[in-house]
């Protein structure tokens, strides 16, 4: 690629110029040619000096900042970072801790519909069956659980699959990581996803050193024109999406739009990672795994439908790639613990999991009705089977200001900013989870407070 020369030499270089530039930056920083605190040229100045485009320099600088090599300050410039050897981490936790005394409408939790009793009964049954718990799980000992997943997913949701097509994981986030590890390659992989998305996508891409590109949305999900524009500009190896039930917006992508996206994935040779975790109600819209069985990684879990505590997820890779994904999973954690496999298989095969899911859906529907009755006059998006409300704020409110106003009332919600990608666009909106642990009367009172605040925007009152 290049040696430690700084600035880099592009003569006889066959790699993309931004890769040569980032590698030269790495060598120069770690080799001391660019000392801590050294100010680098502006993007335009360096592009002019090197005879390359400003976009190439900007892309390399961005990667260097993400790696902790450089730091940027608005109005001052770009400098070699003091903490260049400290890994860059995402400060936002994926698990939200409740705070005493607050009404927490941030985290999505599963309603309590008797899961504890069902899980304990499944535990007791596995002990009666005389299972042995000594060795690592393998493709023989986890086969019953994989067959149970096929039953759980249902006929044709992910295509005509068998137990051999299923890879078991430690929840959906684990499944996402395995899919990405199976797909991404090269020095600077690119992942495309919705411009506002579940923070786990951001975390996964950062851990895997992948550049993540946000794609614009409309009421039907990812816009094909924006996706194609991003593919032409940035390339891309993977599209991560939640087409059935998107968090945080509750968007459902219809069949015609999915077909357009699938056609682009084929044209540009992109793999699709389809997160179906929130899709716990029946659907007649085929998944991407049905539309593109040769390039779609379908994933889900029991987290949203049965219990978050079980950490039981699954991945259905493209045709012919299950063994590869299984090897990647084994490299990460050897296998899902056998007791958990047995418990979850028992819950699914004896029908308890399906009964819990039906009761969970009924509990979600009840709370969505309460929320829509109170907030229905505002600009909201909702579904009877999704346990949160997406609220676009009226004129006079900004997301961060509204979150603080709710916080002052003892109500915790999430701004759209928390779902935005780095340097990405965030709409003026908030997500409100429907707190199944709260009595309905307390949820109703909290939502009435939210509605009251919405009607008194400070920016308008100042006028």
């Amino acid at each position: 690629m290049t040696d430690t020369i700084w600035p880099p030499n592009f003569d006889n270089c066959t790699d993309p110029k931004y890769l040569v530039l980032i590698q030269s930056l790495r060598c120069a920083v770690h080799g001391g040619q660019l000392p801590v605190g050294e100010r680098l040229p502006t993007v335009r100045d360096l592009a002019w000096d090197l005879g390359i485009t400003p976009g190439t320099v900007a892309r390399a600088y961005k990667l260097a900042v993400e790696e902790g090599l450089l730091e940027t300050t608005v109005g001052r410039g770009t400098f070699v970072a003091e903490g260049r050897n400290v890994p860059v981490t995402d400060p936002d936790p994926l698990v939200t801790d409740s705070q005493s005394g607050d009404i927490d409408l941030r985290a999505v939790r599963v309603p309590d519909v008797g899961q504890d009793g069902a899980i304990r009964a499944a535990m007791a049954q596995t002990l009666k069956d005389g299972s042995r718990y000594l060795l690592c799980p393998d493709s023989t000992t986890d086969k019953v659980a994989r067959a149970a997943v096929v039953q759980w997913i249902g006929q044709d949701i992910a295509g005509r699959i068998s137990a051999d097509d299923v890879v078991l994981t430690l929840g959906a986030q684990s499944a996402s990581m395995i899919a990405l590890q199976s797909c991404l390659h090269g020095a600077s992989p690119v992942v495309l996803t919705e411009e506002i998305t579940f923070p786990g996508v951001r975390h996964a891409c950062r851990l895997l050193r992948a550049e993540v590109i946000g794609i614009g949305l409309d009421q039907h999900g990812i816009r094909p024109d924006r996706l194609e524009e991003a593919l032409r500009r940035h390339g891309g190896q993977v599209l991560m999406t939640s087409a059935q039930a998107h968090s945080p917006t509750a968007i459902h992508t219809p069949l015609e739009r999915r077909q357009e996206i699938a056609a682009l994935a084929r044209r540009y040779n992109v793999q699709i990672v389809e997160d179906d975790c929130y899709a716990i109600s029946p659907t007649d819209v085929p998944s991407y795994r049905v539309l593109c069985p040769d390039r779609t990684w379908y994933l889900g879990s029991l987290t949203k439908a049965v219990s978050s505590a079980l950490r039981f997820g699954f991945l259905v890779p493209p045709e012919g790639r299950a063994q590869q994904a299984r090897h990647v999973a084994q490299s990460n954690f050897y296998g899902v613990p056998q007791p958990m496999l047995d418990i979850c298989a028992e819950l699914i095969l004896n029908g308890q999991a399906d009964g819990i899911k039906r009761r969970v859906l009924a509990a979600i529907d009840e709370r969505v009705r309460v929320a829509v009755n109170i907030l229905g006059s505002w600009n909201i998006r909702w579904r009877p089977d999704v346990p949160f409300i997406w609220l676009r704020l009226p004129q006079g409110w900004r997301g961060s200001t509204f979150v603080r106003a709710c916080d002052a009332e003892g109500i915790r919600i999430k701004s759209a900013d928390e779902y935005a990608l780095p340097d990405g666009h965030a709409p003026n909106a908030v997500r409100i989870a429907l707190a199944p642990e709260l009595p309905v009367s307390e949820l109703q009172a909290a939502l009435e407070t939210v509605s009251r605040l919405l009607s008194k925007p400070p920016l308008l009152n100042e006028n």
Side-chain angles (χ1 to χ4, degrees):
M1 182 173 290
T2 185
D3 54 19
T4 59
I5 295 174
W6 177 261
N9 184 354
F10 296 108
D11 293 342
N12 303 315
C13 175
T14 59
D15 290 305
K17 291 183 178 180
Y18 80 94
L19 293 182
V20 178
L21 181 52
I22 184 63
Q23 180 63 13
S24 184
L25 277 168
R26 291 174 185 138
C27 293
V29 169
H30 291 301
Q33 291 170 273
L34 290 175
V36 170
E38 176 86 0
R39 181 172 181 170
L40 274 70
T42 67
V43 167
R44 291 190 178 277
D45 286 347
L46 185 58
W48 176 265
D49 292 341
L50 299 178
I52 59 179
T53 66
T56 299
V57 176
R59 190 171 184 182
Y61 273 14
K62 181 180 178 183
L63 286 171
V65 169
E66 290 175 353
E67 292 182 12
L69 296 172
L70 306 179
E71 56 188 15
T72 59
T73 304
V74 176
R76 293 186 62 235
T78 301
F79 300 84
V80 177
E82 291 187 15
R84 63 181 185 273
N85 294 321
V86 179
V88 180
T89 58
D90 196 315
D92 302 323
L94 290 183
V95 178
T96 303
D97 295 328
S98 297
Q99 295 190 9
S100 177
D102 288 335
I103 296 174
D104 193 346
L105 306 183
R106 297 172 300 166
V108 173
R109 298 184 174 92
V110 183
D112 184 351
V113 296
Q115 290 95 325
D116 280 354
I119 292 170
R120 288 193 176 94
M123 290 179 181
Q125 185 59 49
T126 59
L127 293 176
K128 287 181 181 178
D129 291 342
S131 299
R132 291 178 60 86
Y133 300 122
L134 182 63
L135 302 177
C136 288
D138 57 33
S139 59
T140 299
T141 63
D142 74 0
K143 189 166 186 178
V144 172
R146 287 187 282 119
V149 166
V150 174
Q151 177 177 313
W152 175 255
I153 294 174
Q155 188 71 22
D156 293 335
I157 297 300
R160 297 296 179 96
I161 61 173
S162 70
D164 291 338
D165 298 308
V166 175
V167 178
L168 300 176
T169 68
L170 296 170
Q173 184 70 10
S174 170
S176 296
M177 290 291 293
I178 292 165
L180 288 174
Q181 287 172 314
S182 301
C183 295
L184 299 179
H185 54 86
S188 300
V190 174
V191 174
L192 308 153
T193 192
E194 290 94 349
E195 64 181 351
I196 49 172
T197 190
F198 172 63
V201 175
R202 185 177 68 238
H203 282 248
C205 291
R206 175 165 287 169
L207 286 172
L208 297 176
R209 299 293 182 90
E211 182 180 8
V212 58
I213 304 296
I215 309 301
L217 302 169
D218 61 16
Q219 71 272 24
H220 298 309
I222 287 175
R223 288 179 47 176
D225 59 332
R226 295 287 178 85
L227 175 59
E228 185 162 22
E229 178 185 350
L231 286 167
R232 287 175 174 171
R233 177 180 296 181
H234 303 284
Q237 296 169 3
V238 175
L239 169 66
M240 296 190 73
T241 184
S242 298
Q244 185 63 22
H246 177 252
S247 177
T249 66
I251 290 174
H252 169 81
T253 302
L255 176 58
E256 184 177 355
R257 175 64 60 84
R258 296 189 200 199
Q259 290 171 329
E260 292 181 75
I261 300 296
L264 288 172
R266 292 192 192 94
R267 187 182 310 160
Y268 289 90
N269 193 28
V270 172
Q271 299 284 300
I272 301 174
V273 176
E274 180 175 13
D275 184 342
D276 215 17
C277 285
Y278 278 104
I280 62 176
S281 60
T283 179
D284 57 358
V285 180
S287 67
Y288 284 112
R289 181 59 172 68
V290 173
L291 298 174
C292 296
D294 61 318
R295 63 182 61 251
T296 299
W297 305 70
Y298 175 91
L299 65 93
S301 73
L302 298 187
T303 301
K304 303 298 186 291
V306 178
S307 171
S308 300
L310 294 175
R311 307 312 308 151
F312 181 81
F314 49 84
L315 177 66
V316 182
E319 294 172 340
R321 299 190 66 175
Q323 191 62 31
Q324 175 198 1
R326 198 166 288 117
H327 289 160
V328 173
Q330 289 172 349
S331 297
N332 278 272
F333 51 81
Y334 280 89
V336 177
Q338 192 66 46
M340 192 62 66
L341 296 175
D342 293 344
I343 292 166
C344 293
E346 175 68 20
L347 286 169
I348 294 171
L349 296 174
N350 70 14
Q352 286 287 335
D354 195 56
I356 291 169
K357 179 170 68 172
R358 289 196 299 271
R359 297 194 295 276
V360 165
L361 282 167
I364 291 172
D365 179 74
E366 177 188 13
R367 286 173 180 265
V368 171
R369 289 173 185 269
V370 169
V372 172
N373 284 338
I374 296 170
L375 301 176
S377 61
W378 303 104
N379 185 0
I380 62 173
R381 182 181 287 117
W382 58 276
R383 285 176 45 173
D385 57 345
V386 172
F388 53 80
I389 300 292
W390 180 244
L391 168 65
R392 287 189 173 271
L393 297 172
Q395 185 179 5
W397 277 113
R398 297 192 183 280
S400 57
T401 308
F402 188 70
V403 167
R404 289 197 296 271
C406 289
D407 189 59
E409 298 280 350
I411 300 169
R412 309 295 299 279
I413 62 174
K414 280 191 172 185
S415 167
D417 292 339
E418 298 193 41
Y419 301 94
L421 298 173
D423 303 322
H425 166 73
N428 193 32
V430 296
R431 193 192 77 169
I432 302 174
L434 300 180
E437 69 278 4
L438 285 178
V440 170
S441 60
E442 291 186 25
L443 174 64
Q444 183 173 350
L447 294 176
E448 286 171 348
T449 298
V450 169
S451 184
R452 172 173 56 80
L453 290 173
L454 287 169
S455 66
K456 299 178 179 180
L459 297 183
L460 294 184
N461 290 339
E462 290 175 1
N463 297 329

